[in-house]
Amino acid sequence: MSDADTGAAPDQATPQHATTGQAVQDQTADGQVSDAALGPWMAEQRWYTAKGSTPRLRTIATPDGTRLVIDDAVTGPVLYQAPVLLGASATITGASPTITDATTDTAWVQELAARIDDAPDSLRRIGRVTGSRVLGGEQSNTSIICDTESGDQVIVKVFRVLHHGDNPDVTTQLALSGAGSARVPLVYGAVRGTWPDPGRPDGGATGHLAFAQEFLPGLEDAWRVALGDARDGTRFEADAERLGAALAEVHRTLAEALPTQPAGEASQAAAIDTMHRRLDAAAAEAPAIAEHVDAVRAVYARAAASAWPALQRIHGDLHLGQVLAAPEPRGWVFLDFEGEPLRPLEERSLPDVTLRDVAGMLRSFDYVAGALAHDAEPVDAAEWALGARAAFLAGYQRGTGTELRRHRELLDAFELDKAVYEVVYETRNRPDWVGIPLAAVARLVARVAS
């Protein structure tokens, strides 16, 4: 579950200017913001993960004008990228200097874009940046829209929480764009950084700091398109079938561009074990799911005993909010290949089962109907959702040439696993909505049992 499930397309949303913030009372000898002053400012940022706590920061590196800080949070240490600028004192008014997020400063963005131009994996060069603005609505990263001398608009995503290793959002879209796929925005390149890590054998770590690609302004995401059609009673089958075929095209391209592997016993066991552990956690936190636990485990057992397709790189966190509706002939364009945010980065880069993406989209169609049922003027879109689901599966099957009935048990398990995850999410955030995924759990286990 993410913001995009309720209508947000964070990386291609309407741009807005960020504001300057926290007054600074202390700074380092070289004029930089001290860790003590940076903490209160970070605590107010949407991308700060330990909400409600006071950051305890240690700056560990400042590569090329950015700033990497470790927060020794109560939930465990987290490494952030937090480039900031210290405003000059207002000598006339006597105001204190302020911390400004560097991503809102065009000069800083120009320097960042120049480094992306020089990235060795760049597919297309960014011209000189003439203006920039930060997108609103994001939770985990910061995206900047850049105007360039060439007239191109580029979106630069600055990753806030950093990990050692390649970010799958970068490597997956690089593979697709490099293969000539129009199903993702054209990639310009990425920037890597290094930082000290005493826990690693060589004492250092490296990872992606930023990523640049084509900006597609003025496009609605598939969530908004589907929600509007369902509310108006407009059939979505044709669009859903094309969406299924587009996802099949993405999966085919990734299977050709990146390594695949057979689904061995260890991989299958690990995936099923994750499902069981998520179910255990859900039953402890959301008692409403308790009556279905045994039936859900039976579905997982059937999946474990079924035939599995080969493993490959996938999207990993797919829903309608991660897809843009571009004019034909381009059609559906996919965004944000970072994978499920709660999974460790190294796991999100591993080959996985393509049916996980299929299941995520099926759940998203259900959420269209569920959201409309909770409108001030409720709309019954249950039949609309059934038609969209069936058409999407038909388009995906046509695009892959695979008979999905051969993997029905596995697809059911992935859809159930996603619904269990949603039960926990809604219990924590929107208790009035928990009936949406609970109804899916009950429907799936009943159909399998019959």
Side-chain angles (χ1 to χ4, degrees):
M1 180 62 55
S2 72
D3 280 358
D5 284 306
T6 57
D11 288 334
Q12 301 278 349
T14 302
Q16 66 181 34
H17 289 277
T19 59
T20 59
Q22 177 72 35
V24 178
Q25 303 301 325
D26 56 339
Q27 59 192 69
T28 61
D30 60 358
Q32 299 300 309
V33 180
S34 70
D35 290 340
L38 185 63
W41 177 85
M42 269 188 57
E44 297 176 356
Q45 306 311 304
R46 296 192 70 181
W47 42 263
Y48 181 66
T49 60
K51 297 289 192 295
S53 64
T54 301
R56 296 183 297 168
L57 304 181
R58 295 178 286 125
T59 296
I60 63 167
T62 55
D64 294 315
T66 190
R67 182 169 180 168
L68 309 185
V69 295
I70 289 180
D71 177 27
D72 292 311
V74 294
T75 53
V78 180
L79 176 62
Y80 292 95
Q81 181 176 195
V84 294
L85 303 172
L86 185 60
S89 297
T91 55
I92 296 177
T93 64
S96 299
T98 56
I99 292 177
T100 301
D101 191 333
T103 62
T104 67
D105 181 77
T106 298
W108 186 88
V109 174
Q110 287 173 334
E111 295 177 1
L112 175 64
R115 287 190 284 136
I116 291 173
D117 278 349
D118 295 332
D121 51 7
S122 179
L123 300 180
R124 181 170 172 178
R125 295 184 64 83
I126 300 175
R128 182 178 178 276
V129 172
T130 57
S132 64
R133 54 206 179 277
V134 171
L135 290 181
E138 284 193 301
Q139 292 283 355
S140 55
N141 300 303
T142 298
S143 291
I144 311 162
I145 305 305
C146 300
D147 300 316
T148 67
E149 285 183 333
S150 65
D152 293 336
Q153 282 193 308
V154 179
I155 183 168
V156 177
K157 181 187 291 187
V158 176
F159 299 115
R160 292 299 192 170
V161 177
L162 302 180
H163 307 271
H164 172 73
D166 290 337
N167 191 307
D169 197 23
V170 177
T171 55
T172 306
Q173 294 198 66
L174 273 172
L176 287 166
S177 194
S181 174
R183 295 298 175 195
V184 292
L186 179 68
V187 172
Y188 284 80
V191 171
R192 300 185 67 90
T194 59
W195 57 88
D197 186 348
R200 298 191 58 77
D202 58 0
T206 181
H208 287 110
L209 302 181
F211 177 46
Q213 59 187 153
E214 170 191 16
F215 179 57
L216 301 172
L219 302 184
E220 283 193 303
D221 61 61
W223 169 265
R224 291 186 177 92
V225 174
L227 197 67
D229 283 0
R231 181 181 288 114
D232 297 339
T234 302
R235 302 186 70 85
F236 195 72
E237 280 91 340
D239 283 334
E241 185 171 4
R242 285 191 289 269
L243 181 56
L247 178 60
E249 180 186 326
V250 168
H251 285 164
R252 289 198 316 269
T253 305
L254 288 174
E256 295 167 357
L258 295 171
T260 64
Q261 65 185 54
E265 291 184 4
S267 299
Q268 295 178 40
I272 297 297
D273 181 62
T274 298
M275 293 180 186
H276 282 294
R277 285 189 283 109
R278 199 194 307 263
L279 180 61
D280 290 339
E285 186 169 346
I289 206 172
E291 65 179 282
H292 302 294
V293 166
D294 291 341
V296 173
R297 293 198 195 283
V299 176
Y300 293 167
R302 288 166 62 96
S306 68
W308 287 48
L311 306 181
Q312 64 164 82
R313 187 70 68 87
I314 65 171
H315 185 284
D317 187 32
L318 189 60
H319 49 73
L320 288 164
Q322 305 280 41
V323 188
L324 294 179
E328 295 294 341
R330 188 169 190 175
W332 298 114
V333 178
F334 295 78
L335 309 172
D336 299 335
F337 285 72
E338 286 189 80
E340 188 178 297
L342 296 182
R343 297 178 68 190
L345 184 69
E346 60 272 16
E347 288 186 11
R348 289 185 263 146
S349 296
L350 294 175
D352 204 342
V353 183
T354 53
L355 296 175
R356 188 185 299 278
D357 285 348
V358 176
M361 194 60 75
L362 293 178
R363 294 297 315 123
S364 204
F365 287 126
D366 263 8
Y367 257 84
V368 172
L372 290 176
H374 285 79
D375 264 2
E377 298 180 5
V379 174
D380 183 356
E383 289 299 321
W384 179 96
L386 286 174
R389 286 167 58 96
F392 171 77
L393 290 174
Y396 185 80
Q397 184 168 275
R398 173 171 56 83
T400 59
T402 300
E403 179 58 62
L404 285 177
R405 282 181 295 183
R406 292 175 48 208
H407 301 295
R408 188 73 235 191
E409 294 88 350
L410 190 54
L411 180 56
D412 286 339
F414 277 118
E415 189 175 356
L416 261 176
D417 181 53
K418 183 69 171 179
V420 168
Y421 170 86
E422 292 163 353
V423 168
V424 174
Y425 178 91
E426 301 299 1
T427 299
R428 292 175 180 174
N429 298 280
R430 295 181 296 196
D432 291 346
W433 284 42
V434 75
I436 299 174
L438 271 177
V441 170
R443 183 185 71 246
L444 283 163
V445 297
R447 184 175 62 77
V448 173
S450 66

